[in-house]
């Protein structure tokens, strides 16, 4: 199955809601469109930037943004 790679610009309330929707609907999207949706970058002005060509852990990114207000500084692929 060929992946569909996405980059998210911004990760405020709407960006996190979209990420959670992707997580909730990943099986349905895969079944209907025959493609896995993978977020490979999240770019923000205040929370930092995450880049991973193999896919970002969206659950972890949402949790960090909500609990800490930013991404883990030690995370692989984190840019300042």
């Amino acid at each position: 199955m060929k992946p569909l790679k996405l980059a998210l610009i911004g990760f405020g309330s709407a960006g996190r809601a979209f990420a959670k929707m992707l997580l909730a609907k990943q099986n349905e999207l895969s079944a209907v469109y025959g493609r896995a949706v993978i977020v490979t970058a999240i770019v923000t002005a205040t929370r930092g930037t995450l880049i991973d060509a193999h896919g970002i852990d969206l659950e972890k990114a949402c949790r960090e943004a909500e609990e800490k207000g930013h991404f883990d500084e030690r995370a692989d692929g984190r840019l300042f």
Side-chain angles (χ1 to χ4, degrees):
M1 176 180 315
K2 186 176 179 181
L4 174 64
K5 295 183 178 184
L6 299 178
L8 301 181
I9 310 301
F11 208 60
S13 298
R16 288 193 311 274
F18 182 70
K20 290 176 183 178
M21 183 179 65
L22 286 175
L23 287 168
K25 300 282 187 179
Q26 62 186 349
N27 292 335
E28 184 179 340
L29 291 168
S30 180
V32 172
Y33 299 104
R35 307 223 16 210
V37 178
I38 300 172
V39 175
T40 58
I42 301 173
V43 180
T44 73
T46 59
R47 298 180 200 287
T49 296
L50 294 174
I51 298 174
D52 186 338
H54 302 291
I56 292 169
D57 182 343
L58 288 179
E59 289 181 33
K60 182 179 177 186
C62 287
R63 185 174 55 253
E64 288 176 352
E66 290 168 357
E67 293 175 1
K68 299 178 185 177
H70 57 83
F71 302 127
D72 185 359
E73 291 90 357
R74 298 163 296 177
D76 289 340
R78 172 131 184 337
L79 303 174
F80 298 94

